[in-house]
Amino acid sequence: EPNTTSPTHDDLSETCLHAPRAKYSAVESPRELTQKGVPFYINADRLDTLRYRYRTTRRKLDRNGLAKGVIDLSRIQMQKIGAWSLVHRPLPYYCTKRTVVWNYGHIPLGIQHYLGSLESFSYRSDGNTKRKGWYQQAFITDGGPDDEIRPWIQGFCDSVGPTLALELLKGAGILPKKVDDYNSAINS
């Protein structure tokens, strides 16, 4: 029997929850701010969640885009899963259009979407065709600096220890030399 209630939040009683997103631009902060609260052995400049602190205003749908669908698998019925899906509505039977435009603050979950550097943005196979889009979004700072995600790195390092943290983060933020190397890595 599917679960139908949430003791945490009324809107979490839905099978499909649309988590709103806030886009973070490519505006960088001084190193003393990006490294603040980060263990000394971690290079914050290699992690987008620490490197980029400036975001768009959360309530502007035109800048942040549609919310992302999150499914509570304990509530779905297999016979109601369709053959198609979209990233914003992964299971159309459960993910209705009415919740795709929810704003931050409506539910206790949000997605932080990092634009990243032009180098990393352009590295993707579609990057060259979308450079104009990067320039349109790269310098938006109307939401100001936001550090709400920053504690993750200290919690991560505390839970796994310095040695394992460094091993698990090895290569993070470093692009392979060629696009072919990248495509081979993700397709293998």
Side-chain angles (χ1 to χ4, degrees):
E1 183 68 27
N3 183 13
T4 58
T5 62
S6 169
T8 310
H9 195 280
D10 289 342
D11 290 315
L12 297 181
S13 296
E14 299 289 325
T15 301
C16 179
L17 176 69
H18 281 96
R21 64 183 181 174
K23 284 188 181 176
Y24 284 71
S25 72
V27 173
E28 296 189 55
S29 295
R31 178 129 172 84
E32 61 270 10
L33 291 177
T34 58
Q35 199 65 39
K36 186 177 180 180
V38 177
F40 71 92
Y41 51 87
I42 301 292
N43 181 354
D45 292 338
R46 288 186 31 201
L47 302 169
D48 285 358
T49 57
L50 303 174
R51 182 177 176 183
Y52 302 108
R53 303 171 54 242
Y54 288 90
R55 61 173 171 76
T56 61
T57 300
R58 286 185 172 152
R59 304 236 180 251
K60 290 189 176 182
L61 178 64
D62 60 325
R63 289 215 179 137
N64 290 305
L66 296 175
K68 299 291 186 182
V70 179
I71 307 292
D72 180 345
L73 297 175
S74 72
R75 298 177 191 210
I76 66 169
Q77 297 174 11
M78 293 305 288
Q79 64 271 26
K80 293 188 179 176
I81 296 178
W84 66 273
S85 70
L86 302 169
V87 70
H88 301 287
R89 292 180 57 212
L91 296 176
Y93 178 83
Y94 294 106
C95 299
T96 63
K97 288 183 181 179
R98 74 175 175 84
T99 60
V100 176
V101 295
W102 279 0
N103 287 316
Y104 259 81
H106 187 77
I107 58 169
L109 176 65
I111 305 294
Q112 294 184 324
H113 186 270
Y114 291 85
L115 184 63
S117 68
L118 179 58
E119 178 188 23
S120 66
F121 186 85
S122 300
Y123 196 80
R124 300 184 311 224
S125 59
D126 66 352
N128 288 330
T129 60
K130 294 186 176 183
R131 278 186 181 206
K132 182 179 176 184
W134 184 88
Y135 280 105
Q136 290 171 341
Q137 300 174 62
F139 307 104
I140 296 172
T141 60
D142 58 349
D146 184 339
D147 292 320
E148 73 179 357
I149 193 69
R150 295 185 72 73
W152 81 265
I153 190 67
Q154 186 65 58
F156 171 74
C157 292
D158 288 348
S159 68
V160 301
T163 304
L164 186 54
L166 287 170
E167 179 64 26
L168 292 170
L169 293 173
K170 184 172 64 177
I174 299 174
L175 299 173
K177 293 191 187 312
K178 305 184 292 189
V179 173
D180 289 339
D181 295 342
Y182 173 74
N183 290 333
S184 295
I186 63 169
N187 292 322
S188 60

